[in-house]
Amino acid sequence: MINFAIVGMGHIANKHIEAIEKAENANLFAICDTNPARLEIENPNVKKYTDLQNMLEENPEIHVVNICVPSGLHTPLTKIVAEQGRHIIVEKPMSLKLHEAEEMMKYANENGVKLAVVHPNRFRPAIQKLKEQMDAGAFGKLSHANATVRWNRNQAYYDQAAWRGTKEFDGGVLMNQAIHDLDLMLWLMGPVESVQAMAATRLRKIETEDVAAAVVQFKNGALGVIEAATTIYPKNLEESIAIFGETASVKISGRNATFIETWDIEGVSEEETDKIKNEIKEDPFGKPGHQCIIEDMVLAVKENRNPIVTGEDGIAPVKLILAILESAETGKKVTLA
């Protein structure tokens, strides 16, 4: 069994608890939060701590620590965990600052530990099917891609905690909501060369943007369009990823980018297409993405290999988002190094 500990027992920690409980060869060993009231969970066998350092020093049996604290605290906690020689799963975004994300990778590498970033949308059945087709070259020369997040996060959502919507601890719609879709866009299309963008805080009383739009050029020459908003009334409308090439057009959409809306691929018959669409419709979410992340880390530790979603993968969308925000602030096209 691989023993897991969770630090930060806010809302997202519940997904980690459920994922660990369902994953093969994984055991929830301990939890940690500076607020003792958050340590009340159903499992009586789990050890409880209010200090991360104490938890690690007293329990060498812990193999992996899941970092679920506000985003602005990821870097210092990663340093503590890495220096104690434990592997790390960190929630998205990896960090709110590029140099801090790079420091996190440095801490992991220097201490010989594995670091995985939670980008669970990669494991959705429709996305997996799309990735298979792209890896097989089914699209030919790529034309462009589109990532859209039209969601509702009302003022009550941001008022739940003082850190929500802040530049120091949370980030805006790009870092907090759209980052999953930007991860998918980069995973499918490859790295970005340059970006031109606009962003605004239109409806929510927060420090960060609640709506943003950007046009990117990938290093392979293809273009991309990004639209992200938490201002949609009255509820989530759409999350989608679309890829267009000389021999294929695919759009995966729905409120959570789970259903195949368009699947036109050269050489794939209408019957085959309908079969694929129906398979996805019957099980659109598949195995929960957090569970996939946990099970992959278990195997990565046992097999001494990198996790599927590495720290480098976590850095890439952070870098893109910061370039989008820089372009929005300066009004100029930004080239990514």
Side-chain angles (χ1 to χ4, degrees):
M1 296 291 286
I2 300 298
N3 291 323
F4 286 79
I6 299 173
V7 56
M9 294 301 294
H11 173 73
I12 199 64
N14 294 324
K15 285 193 174 183
H16 287 254
I17 292 172
E18 184 178 358
I20 293 167
E21 289 176 344
K22 289 183 176 179
E24 291 186 19
N25 298 315
N27 174 55
L28 181 57
F29 189 90
I31 57 175
C32 179
D33 197 291
T34 54
N35 183 353
R38 290 183 173 177
L39 298 175
E40 298 305 317
I41 65 171
E42 293 182 5
N43 190 335
N45 299 318
V46 175
K47 294 187 176 184
K48 300 172 182 178
Y49 289 85
T50 56
D51 184 273
L52 174 60
Q53 191 80 40
N54 289 345
M55 180 181 74
L56 296 174
E57 290 177 354
E58 293 179 13
N59 299 283
E61 306 97 322
I62 295 172
H63 301 103
V64 184
V65 176
N66 294 21
I67 297 177
C68 301
V69 297
S71 304
L73 298 173
H74 287 177
T75 304
L77 268 62
T78 294
K79 184 175 188 291
I80 292 171
V81 176
E83 289 178 346
Q84 286 288 327
R86 318 304 169 87
H87 306 295
I88 301 158
I89 294 177
V90 61
E91 264 293 339
K92 62 77 189 172
M94 185 174 175
S95 177
L96 300 176
K97 299 175 182 177
L98 182 59
H99 75 274
E100 290 187 352
E102 291 171 342
E103 284 176 9
M104 291 166 71
M105 276 307 307
K106 180 185 174 196
Y107 299 145
N109 291 334
E110 286 180 346
N111 291 281
V113 301
K114 305 179 191 307
L115 190 154
V117 183
V118 179
H119 282 295
N121 293 14
R122 291 190 184 195
F123 299 94
R124 290 177 178 171
I127 299 297
Q128 288 283 312
K129 289 280 187 185
L130 173 55
K131 176 65 171 171
E132 288 172 10
Q133 292 297 317
M134 295 202 71
D135 288 347
F139 283 72
K141 187 176 182 179
L142 292 169
S143 165
H144 65 291
N146 185 288
T148 302
V149 179
R150 295 169 176 163
W151 281 355
N152 174 277
R153 295 292 184 270
N154 59 23
Q155 192 61 46
Y157 165 85
Y158 292 105
D159 292 343
Q160 286 176 6
W163 57 270
R164 287 188 185 270
T166 64
K167 292 181 178 180
E168 184 177 2
F169 295 113
D170 189 30
V173 61
L174 291 168
M175 280 290 191
N176 207 358
Q177 282 80 31
I179 191 168
H180 287 306
D181 305 272
L182 300 187
D183 169 68
L184 293 181
M185 181 179 269
L186 293 165
W187 189 47
L188 296 166
M189 296 291 291
V192 166
E193 179 75 30
S194 62
V195 59
Q196 185 107 34
M198 299 184 77
T201 308
R202 293 292 298 161
L203 303 183
R204 310 300 176 224
K205 295 177 182 178
I206 56 177
E207 292 180 355
T208 52
E209 82 288 348
D210 58 14
V211 60
V215 177
V216 304
Q217 182 169 34
F218 296 95
K219 288 192 175 181
N220 59 23
L223 302 181
V225 178
I226 298 163
E227 176 193 341
T230 53
T231 57
I232 306 305
Y233 177 85
K235 58 187 176 182
N236 290 1
L237 176 65
E238 175 187 2
E239 179 186 22
S240 65
I241 184 86
I243 310 291
F244 303 97
E246 60 181 339
T247 52
S249 295
V250 170
K251 182 180 180 182
I252 296 171
S253 63
R255 288 187 182 177
N256 296 99
T258 50
F259 296 99
I260 295 175
E261 181 177 327
T262 301
W263 191 270
D264 294 323
I265 299 176
E266 187 178 77
V268 178
S269 68
E270 188 174 332
E271 291 76 17
E272 289 177 275
T273 297
D274 288 340
K275 181 181 178 183
I276 291 169
K277 285 184 175 181
N278 289 331
E279 285 177 359
I280 298 301
K281 193 177 294 184
E282 289 174 6
D283 187 18
F285 287 97
K287 183 183 290 187
H290 280 74
Q291 184 179 340
C292 294
I293 295 283
I294 296 295
E295 291 181 346
D296 175 63
M297 178 59 86
V298 168
L299 292 176
V301 172
K302 288 179 176 291
E303 299 170 2
N304 192 27
R305 62 163 174 81
N306 288 328
I308 290 175
V309 186
T310 64
E312 287 84 356
D313 292 329
I315 290 173
V318 171
K319 187 176 183 179
L320 173 56
I321 289 167
L322 293 175
I324 291 172
L325 294 175
E326 180 184 345
S327 176
E329 185 176 349
T330 63
K332 299 178 181 178
K333 182 168 75 171
V334 172
T335 300
L336 280 75

